[in-house]
Every structure is written in C-alpha cells, then in structure tokens.
Amino acid sequence: MLEEQMLEKKIWAVVGASENPEKFGCKIYKKLKSEGYTVYPVNPNYKTIDGETCYSSLSALPEKPDVVDMVVAPRHGKDVIIEAAKLGIKNIWFQPGTYNEEILGIARENNLNIVQGCVLVALK
C-alpha cells in the first residue's frame, strides 16, 4: 500500500507547518519528529518553528525530502505541487481539506504518488 511505503521514507517536508499548537501544521510536524523522522517545516510566514529553521519553499530546503505532507488549502498548494514535481519529489501526502480535483489533477499529470488521509491517524 502506498501509504505504508511513504511512511517508510524518513525525510519529510511539512508544507504549512505552524507554531500554533491548535493547528494541524504543528501537530503533524511534532508527531513526525517524535517518531524519528527528519522533518523540515515549510512556511514563508515563519523564520523558525520549534527552534528549527523554517523554510519558505521546497527549493530552499537543505536536502530533497522523500515525502511532502500538505497542510495548506488547495489554492496555496498548487504552486507547491508544481515545485515538487520540478524538484523530482515524487511522494505527496494530502491531509484532509488540502486537495480538490484541480490540485489532484496537477499531481497526477506530473506522475506523483498521492496519499489522501491524515498522517496522524496513519502513525497511530
């Protein structure tokens, strides 16, 4: 199953990472870190998150992630998916509420592997 294959990958980027403990961008970032993943927060609105450098884009990351976890609305995610495809990142995990037919179409056109579901549930 694709979900399990992605969870075996150890380098993740969380697009929409947040310092707000109420937001899924914070919960997912911290959960992946606590499970031993290398996790890069991506959010142009922050300089740091949880004491770690926060990156403005996937292109700014110090290494290419194996999986991009999307925690932003589809209108913000479209450019991220296009950027991921250009960078050769093949695995996209869409959290509930982060995708629509347009963004899924862009991901499929670029032959990206797609999981739709909550990574917090998958990691339990």
Side-chain angles (χ1 to χ4, degrees):
M1 196 170 168
L2 196 52
E3 186 176 283
E4 289 154 1
Q5 289 172 348
M6 282 194 202
L7 290 173
E8 289 172 6
K9 310 276 185 202
K10 289 300 177 189
I11 303 169
W12 286 55
V14 176
V15 174
S18 171
E19 282 202 317
N20 181 341
E22 299 299 309
K23 297 210 173 236
F24 281 104
C26 179
K27 293 175 184 178
I28 291 164
Y29 174 72
K30 289 188 172 190
K31 177 67 173 175
L32 286 166
K33 275 180 69 173
S34 75
E35 295 286 330
Y37 292 88
T38 299
V39 189
Y40 294 105
V42 178
N43 187 328
N45 299 318
Y46 291 95
K47 293 272 185 249
T48 62
I49 289 182
D50 203 29
E52 305 281 336
T53 300
C54 185
Y55 299 89
S56 60
S57 67
L58 295 176
S59 301
L61 296 175
E63 65 182 321
K64 185 168 85 172
D66 299 316
V67 182
V68 172
D69 190 295
M70 299 294 290
V71 197
V72 293
R75 70 180 181 278
H76 298 301
K78 251 177 26 183
D79 290 340
V80 176
I81 299 305
I82 293 165
E83 182 184 21
K86 285 181 182 165
L87 293 170
I89 301 166
K90 287 292 188 191
N91 300 307
I92 309 293
W93 191 298
F94 287 104
Q95 294 297 132
T98 65
Y99 55 88
N100 57 23
E101 282 310 310
E102 182 186 16
I103 200 168
L104 292 174
I106 292 167
R108 287 187 191 109
E109 285 165 20
N110 286 283
N111 296 314
L112 303 179
N113 300 318
I114 301 168
V115 168
Q116 297 163 253
C118 185
V119 76
L120 295 173
V121 173
L123 284 170
K124 286 192 176 172

